Amino acid sequence: MRLVLFGMAALLALGCGDQGFGTVGDGFVSDAGVGEPPTGDLPEDFEAARLRLGQALFFERELSGNRDTSCASCHVPFLTTTEPLPLAVGQGAAGVGPSRRRAEGAIQPRNTTDLFNRDDPASAALFWDGRVERLRDGTLVAPVALPPGLNTPLEAQALLPILDRGEMRGQPGDVAVDGRPNELAALPDDDPAAVWAAVLDRLLAIPEYVELLHRAFPDEPLGPALVARALAHFQRELWEVRDSRFDAFEAEGDPGLLTPDEHAGRALFFGDAGCARCHSGPLLSDQRFHNLAVPQLGPGKDPETGLDEGRFLVTGEPADRFRFRTPSLRNVALTPPYMHDGAYATLEAAVRHHLDPESALRAYDGAHLPASLRDTLHADPATLDALLATLDDPRPLRPLTDAEVAQLLAFLGTLTAEIEVVKGPGHGVPARVPSGLPVDVWPGGPHPHR
Ligand code: HEC
Ligand code: HEC
């Protein structure tokens, strides 16, 4: 069972993202204090409070067992909601973005995804292996029993990093940065509800959160779903962005909106290059799973083999070995490195992998990677053969010339939302969070994409 997303395109009017974005005014995103009482009539009031609550939570290290990691430690707003590291760095790491330092054992198995358009109706499968998913009948599926009150995959997803020991929760016996015991890590892995309840207790011990929760969700029963919904609301309001030249051209059809190379690249993408076989629909992703034989890098998901078998870990179907969800290509030019494990540093390398996956896999030596990561590359013949055994051949319908590859890259650039390029540093970052813990910000210097 897999969703077919083409039919949904009609639902997704251009510009709805812009409108959401417009509600996030300067006063909210720059130096306005979080928790300042929102003003206005009730509907606006709780909308504003929900946004403020979501913003505070997204940057709130109190959500992590050791009080050292927030969502924004890895999904760095200044770095277009991701980070320039091939693989995420979890518990025990220090710093944000490029300065984020690896601590022993802290490397996570996968590349930090961007968060653009993840609450779009077309965004049915979350995580590289789709372990959070909305089925065709609307049911939400997740690896753990979800609390009541969640409506979208993005809302369900928000409760999972909190449970993850490597990303946010920490190990039994850990002591938080403020010297208090890490009570979240002491809870058993098979009782997610207890962990969420303990996180909620932490928040309710801070009067500003009590106030924000009441304002954001008047008359709703207190529970972890409110935390998840506020986090999803913040991500939706900030990062549902659809104002790219690609969108403008699709809506208006004015040929002058794209350069000749971009037009040629677009024709290839939807034609001979065969990209739209998988990169289809409003997010340029079929939300299905394919094995492109991307080099296996990092600690993997299986402690014994050190491999990451992707979708197989969710379904147990041998045919799903090494399949990963087709990523959305919106803003793709802004979010290196690429693939589920960040194996490729540049967009060109990621695209070229598709042209001849077997040669790319066999030639890959990770020379551009730091030695510690390069050492984790699985380049042994058995692994390469296993990767190629279930390959979903992504090759173009005919070989492409170098000039055509350049045209494809030019086309991918048209998927960049204008707003992402123009918005300034500090966008979405609160001046403080209610716990008083440090806020994860870009460590300074020019915004890398300006
Ligand atoms: C330690 C770094 C780290 C932290 C902290 C973190 N994330 Fe992530 N996030 C990741 C990585 C890595 C992935 C991809 C994991 C996978 O596919 O298995 C991801 C995936 C996601 C996704 C899925 C997007 C997609 O394309 O499928 C969303 C949404 C998300 N994170 C939101 C959050 C929120 C909200 C928080 C805080 C509650 C958070 N993350 C905390 C690293 C992090
Ligand atoms: C058979 C399905 C399929 C086809 C055809 C395909 N792709 Fe992909 N693409 C994927 C999957 C799956 C991934 C992620 C693979 C992984 O991480 O293991 C991906 C990754 C990417 C990425 C990296 C994005 C990121 O955020 O990491 C880019 C860029 C990309 N594809 C562009 C293209 C272009 C351009 C074409 C046409 C030449 C194309 N793809 C054809 C399935 C496909």
Side-chain angles (χ1 to χ4, degrees):
M1 199 292 329
R2 291 279 72 95
L3 295 181
V4 178
L5 293 166
F6 270 118
M8 287 187 171
L11 291 173
L12 303 162
L14 179 75
C16 51
D18 308 350
Q19 228 173 0
F21 181 80
T23 63
V24 186
D26 282 343
F28 171 71
V29 296
S30 56
D31 46 19
V34 170
E36 203 176 89
T39 52
D41 297 335
L42 186 64
E44 283 173 26
D45 187 57
F46 76 68
E47 277 300 304
R50 202 169 284 187
L51 196 53
R52 191 147 297 192
L53 175 62
Q55 181 197 38
L57 292 171
F58 194 84
F59 288 85
E60 183 55 84
R61 294 184 178 185
E62 194 76 13
L63 295 186
S64 66
N66 292 327
R67 297 189 168 86
D68 61 351
T69 309
S70 75
C71 310
S73 302
C74 302
H75 300 281
V76 190
F78 286 170
L79 297 169
T80 55
T81 73
T82 174
E83 54 186 350
L85 305 168
L87 297 169
V89 185
Q91 278 297 296
V96 175
S99 71
R100 197 156 164 78
R101 287 186 296 277
R102 292 168 198 291
E104 196 58 43
I107 300 181
Q108 302 298 297
R110 291 182 182 159
N111 176 252
T112 302
T113 58
D114 69 80
L115 300 179
F116 293 111
N117 304 88
R118 294 304 198 269
D119 214 23
D120 191 300
S123 181
L126 288 178
F127 289 121
W128 284 103
D129 52 18
R131 64 187 182 277
V132 170
E133 205 177 0
R134 185 183 43 233
L135 304 181
R136 202 192 288 249
D137 65 4
T139 316
L140 287 179
V141 182
V144 295
L146 294 169
L150 300 170
N151 305 303
T152 67
L154 191 66
E155 292 177 359
Q157 190 285 335
L159 291 174
L160 298 186
I162 300 169
L163 300 178
D164 190 306
R165 289 189 180 276
E167 283 190 1
M168 293 186 90
R169 190 149 73 100
Q171 303 301 331
D174 278 3
V175 175
V177 288
D178 60 359
R180 284 187 272 174
N182 178 345
E183 83 286 14
L184 305 183
L187 293 164
D189 288 338
D190 61 3
D191 195 355
V195 179
W196 295 324
V199 170
L200 204 58
D201 282 348
R202 279 190 181 193
L203 297 177
L204 295 176
I206 301 170
E208 228 172 301
Y209 276 119
V210 177
E211 169 85 6
L212 276 172
L213 279 160
H214 277 305
R215 284 181 179 273
F217 298 100
D219 309 325
E220 297 206 38
L222 206 56
L226 302 188
V227 170
R229 284 167 60 192
L231 279 166
H233 185 65
F234 174 71
Q235 295 173 70
R236 175 171 56 235
E237 291 296 306
L238 258 84
W239 297 311
E240 288 296 314
V241 286
R242 291 285 204 98
D243 64 334
S244 68
R245 286 189 296 121
F246 166 77
D247 292 298
F249 178 73
E250 296 290 316
E252 298 160 28
D254 171 4
L257 286 165
L258 305 187
T259 67
D261 273 350
E262 290 165 352
H263 274 295
R266 182 176 173 280
L268 284 165
F269 188 93
F270 292 104
D272 282 359
C275 313
R277 274 184 290 148
C278 303
H279 295 284
S280 57
L283 302 181
L284 294 305
S285 162
D286 56 5
Q287 302 286 300
R288 292 171 179 231
F289 305 86
H290 308 276
N291 171 13
L292 263 52
V294 168
Q296 286 270 320
L297 203 62
K301 287 285 219 180
D302 179 340
E304 269 173 35
T305 60
L307 297 177
D308 182 350
E309 293 173 297
R311 185 64 174 168
F312 172 75
L313 300 170
V314 177
T315 65
E317 293 286 337
D320 285 337
R321 272 192 101 192
F322 306 116
R323 284 186 167 159
F324 293 89
R325 180 202 54 192
T326 309
S328 158
L329 295 182
R330 288 188 168 272
N331 295 318
V332 72
L334 303 182
T335 60
Y338 299 103
M339 304 302 196
H340 69 270
D341 55 2
Y344 292 111
T346 65
L347 194 54
E348 175 166 1
V351 171
R352 283 195 182 275
H353 176 93
H354 293 69
L355 307 184
D356 185 354
E358 175 163 5
S359 304
L361 174 67
R362 294 198 187 280
Y364 187 92
D365 59 6
H368 67 286
L369 298 169
S372 59
L373 207 52
R374 194 163 60 234
D375 290 346
T376 67
L377 176 67
H378 293 265
D380 57 289
T383 302
L384 301 193
D385 290 347
L387 276 164
L388 291 164
T390 52
L391 177 72
D392 293 317
D393 195 349
R395 282 179 299 175
L397 312 189
R398 60 167 175 81
L400 303 183
T401 65
D402 286 351
E404 287 174 323
V405 172
Q407 289 169 338
L408 271 178
L409 294 172
F411 167 69
L412 293 177
T414 71
L415 296 166
T416 299
E418 303 285 307
I419 194 73
E420 273 309 305
V421 181
V422 300
K423 76 185 184 193
H427 178 86
V429 181
R432 51 177 284 277
V433 289
S435 66
L437 289 168
V439 174
D440 286 309
V441 291
W442 168 246
H447 187 265
H449 301 304
R450 300 185 90 210

